[in-house]
């Protein structure tokens, strides 16, 4: 997948579209999902132009990788999600229904989240 710099998260990173910011540092930005699926539904994105979690894992620098995982911990701690638990989801590509082609981690919590996948017909 080639990186499309007109995707919605690239526009958020450039400040062309607003977001409800939760956390930011040199390498990551986190903001509330516009259509929350749980009481806490945060999107964590790297600032670099990565399309999927495996693109990020393969091509990000050690500093970017460390910053990303450290940000998960910061958010989970700040939002008090650790005690009751939380879920991280990174949809990647067509079969996962990835809508925005800039790697993002959904961080969900605040209630029991149910089974990982909907029952398939
Ligand atoms: P995906 O399906 O690609 O894993 O998830 C994309 C997520 O981005 C969806 O949960 C959707 O609600 C969220 N989203 C799409 N457009 C915007 C936007 O403009 N602002 C914010 N904050 N979230 C968005």
């Amino acid at each position: 997948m080639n990186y499309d710099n007109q995707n919605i998260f690239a526009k958020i990173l450039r400040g062309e579209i607003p977001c409800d910011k939760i956390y930011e540092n040199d390498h990551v930005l986190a903001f509330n999902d516009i259509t929350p699926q749980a009481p806490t539904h945060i999107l964590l994105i790297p600032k670099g132009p990565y399309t999927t979690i495996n693109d990020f894992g393969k091509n990000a620098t050690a500093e970017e990788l460390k910053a990303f995982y450290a940000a998960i911990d910061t958010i989970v701690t700040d939002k008090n999600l650790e005690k009751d638990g939380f879920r991280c989801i990174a949809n990647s590509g067509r079969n996962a229904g990835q809508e925005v082609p800039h790697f993002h981690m959904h961080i969900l919590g605040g209630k029991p989240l149910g089974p990982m996948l909907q029952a398939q017909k």
Side-chain angles (χ1 to χ4, degrees), residues 8-9 31-35 43 91 97-100 104 106:
I8 202 101
F9 294 168
F31 49 90
N32 281 318
D33 195 293
I34 205 166
T35 312
L43 298 171
N91 292 317
Q98 183 178 5
E99 292 169 21
V100 181
H104 49 283
H106 297 257

Side-chain angles (χ1 to χ4, degrees), residues 50 52-61 65 103:
Y50 304 106
T52 58
I53 190 169
N54 54 306
D55 179 28
F56 183 65
K58 202 163 39 184
N59 295 310
T61 65
L65 289 163
F103 167 46

Side-chain angles (χ1 to χ4, degrees), residues 25-107:
N25 66 26
D26 286 350
H27 296 295
V28 304
L29 175 67
F31 49 90
N32 281 318
D33 195 293
I34 205 166
T35 312
Q37 305 295 314
T40 300
H41 187 172
I42 293 166
L43 298 171
L44 173 64
I45 66 174
K47 290 190 172 178
Y50 304 106
T51 56
T52 58
I53 190 169
N54 54 306
D55 179 28
F56 183 65
K58 202 163 39 184
N59 295 310
T61 65
E63 202 178 354
E64 287 174 311
L65 289 163
K66 190 172 176 190
F68 195 86
Y69 282 95
I72 293 176
D73 181 53
T74 298
I75 292 163
V76 162
T77 302
D78 285 356
K79 296 292 175 186
N80 206 20
L81 295 176
E82 193 165 12
K83 178 171 163 284
D84 291 334
F86 59 96
R87 182 175 291 159
C88 290
I89 298 173
N91 292 317
S92 301
R94 192 177 58 240
N95 277 2
Q98 183 178 5
E99 292 169 21
V100 181
H102 180 114
F103 167 46
H104 49 283
M105 187 74 84
H106 297 257
I107 303 173

